[in-house]
Amino acid sequence: MSAYGRFLLRRAVYAVITFFIALVMIFIIPRLVAVNPVDIIAASQQLPPSAIRQLTVEFGLNKPVYVQFLLYLKNVILTFPPNLGFSYEYYPISVWKLISISLPWTLFLVGTSVAISAFLGTMMGLYAGMNRGGILDRMMSYAAMTTQSLPYFWIAIVLQILLAVVLRVFPIGGAISITDVSPPYSLPWIQDVVYHALLPMITIVIATTPVYSIIMRNTLVDIVREDYMVAAEAKGLKKSTLYNTYGLRNGILPVVSLIAVHFGYVVGGALLVEIVFSYPGVGTLLFNAILSHDYPLIQGIFFILAITVIGANFIADVIYSYIDPRIRYT
């Protein structure tokens, strides 16, 4: 097997091990709360004891925990699409159907925000690195470090109050106007969706852009001292050519790695942003599932998020190995 093949195999094994550990944690954590979800359903709907016993058997809660875990592994690994069971709160709607409705909203929000913040952060870091020590470099560094320390939900609340409540530039929440009767995926519908998503996107971009700018700036400061950069400068290359060609190409490597490593953190922050803006994504669905102790729905959401984050990291490793071939032989 080639060195590149061994590299991919090693990364795939790491991904599988991480995924299995995630499955164990996903199953255990919701059950640490000593609450029977059937009791909650019975209390809210005033079910008779016979109905409670029937639901307990139907949900499999009468079986030992290890049996429930083995059945869970069988349903999520050996079936496609994964059999994530039925939601306790939205019974008899399946967990897969609920997630398939909410997940596209979250992917749209997170994917677009990460792409914008990575581009802006890289350009800001490149400019700061080219003009290191200057006034703008110091201002950008101070602003980036300050913004980076602010939690997602705090930025979301401040922007919501300022831009949605006070100035009324953006809608206060939701993903689409309740008065919109446009057909799905028509131009007016798309415009309305983008308009409602702008404020949550701005929140995530403000929260994540500083990370990329700081990494890019610090990487360029180190790269500019390398021998090949000194030699290129001695040959009389323009500063813009030196940084845009040599500096950017090598400085982008940590940014690509950071996108994957930081992706899980961004997803976690995006879930909080969705709750603040009542955005119909996975975050709002997860929040409601936690309040109702909906084990299958909580497990299903974290299962999908785990696959997304682990898959993003694996793809980033592959892309990184193409950008920097040295990684294949380490």
Side-chain angles (χ1 to χ4, degrees), residues 4-330:
Y4 186 55
R6 289 195 299 271
F7 167 78
L8 290 181
L9 179 61
R10 186 166 61 250
R11 293 298 180 182
V13 170
Y14 291 159
V16 171
I17 294 175
T18 305
F19 177 65
F20 180 77
I21 295 174
L23 285 180
V24 175
M25 299 302 295
I26 289 169
F27 180 83
I28 292 176
I29 290 177
R31 286 165 172 77
L32 294 178
V33 182
V35 176
N36 189 344
V38 175
D39 294 337
I40 298 177
I41 298 175
S44 62
Q45 300 183 12
Q46 298 181 350
L47 298 178
S50 59
I52 295 176
R53 289 192 296 270
Q54 182 179 352
L55 285 178
T56 302
V57 173
E58 189 168 349
F59 291 156
L61 298 177
N62 61 323
K63 296 181 175 65
V65 175
Y66 74 92
V67 175
Q68 295 181 37
F69 178 67
L70 293 177
L71 290 174
Y72 173 68
L73 290 181
K74 174 186 175 183
N75 291 332
V76 299
I77 296 177
L78 301 181
T79 59
F80 184 82
N83 181 10
L84 302 175
F86 294 95
S87 168
Y88 295 163
E89 177 70 12
Y90 304 96
Y91 185 82
I93 303 177
S94 67
V95 171
W96 179 260
K97 184 175 182 179
L98 290 170
I99 294 177
S100 63
I101 295 173
S102 301
L103 186 62
W105 295 102
T106 298
L107 293 179
F108 166 66
L109 185 64
V110 173
T112 306
S113 302
V114 168
I116 294 173
S117 60
F119 175 77
L120 291 178
T122 301
M123 293 299 102
M124 291 170 61
L126 177 63
Y127 182 81
M130 291 175 62
N131 301 275
R132 62 190 183 280
I135 296 178
L136 288 179
D137 176 32
R138 292 197 294 270
M139 291 177 60
M140 290 172 60
S141 298
Y142 292 148
M145 286 186 290
T146 301
T147 308
Q148 185 181 2
S149 63
L150 300 176
Y152 283 75
F153 68 89
W154 188 89
I155 299 175
I157 293 173
V158 170
L159 292 180
Q160 187 181 54
I161 295 174
L162 179 62
L163 299 179
V165 177
V166 177
L167 299 179
R168 297 186 179 182
V169 178
F170 297 104
I172 195 170
I176 194 169
S177 301
I178 59 175
T179 58
D180 188 3
V181 294
S182 303
Y185 307 107
S186 63
L187 183 58
W189 184 87
I190 294 175
Q191 291 174 340
D192 193 33
V193 168
V194 173
Y195 177 56
H196 280 75
L198 281 177
L199 196 52
M201 284 182 185
I202 292 173
T203 301
I204 299 174
V205 169
I206 291 176
T208 56
T209 298
V211 181
Y212 301 112
S213 65
I214 291 173
I215 292 295
M216 188 66 186
R217 187 261 181 199
N218 293 341
T219 303
L220 278 180
V221 171
D222 293 334
I223 288 177
V224 76
R225 302 190 185 100
E226 297 289 339
D227 293 339
Y228 67 88
M229 291 289 285
V230 175
E233 187 176 9
K235 290 181 180 180
L237 288 180
K238 294 181 180 180
K239 188 176 182 180
S240 58
T241 303
L242 185 66
Y243 279 89
N244 293 333
T245 303
Y246 295 95
L248 180 61
R249 182 174 181 180
N250 291 278
I252 200 70
L253 297 176
V255 176
V256 173
S257 179
L258 180 64
I259 291 175
V261 175
H262 199 237
F263 189 77
Y265 178 75
V266 175
V267 169
L271 299 185
L272 296 176
V273 172
E274 289 180 358
I275 295 172
V276 172
F277 290 104
S278 299
Y279 198 77
V282 175
T284 303
L285 188 65
L286 176 62
F287 179 71
N288 295 331
I290 292 174
L291 291 181
S292 59
H293 300 280
D294 194 339
Y295 293 163
L297 188 52
I298 295 173
Q299 292 173 179
I301 292 173
F302 279 112
F303 171 78
I304 297 299
L305 292 180
I307 291 179
T308 303
V309 174
I310 294 172
N313 278 268
F314 181 76
I315 294 173
D317 287 335
V318 175
I319 295 175
Y320 199 108
S321 67
Y322 273 104
I323 298 176
D324 187 359
R326 294 173 299 178
I327 301 299
R328 308 177 191 178
Y329 305 104
T330 58

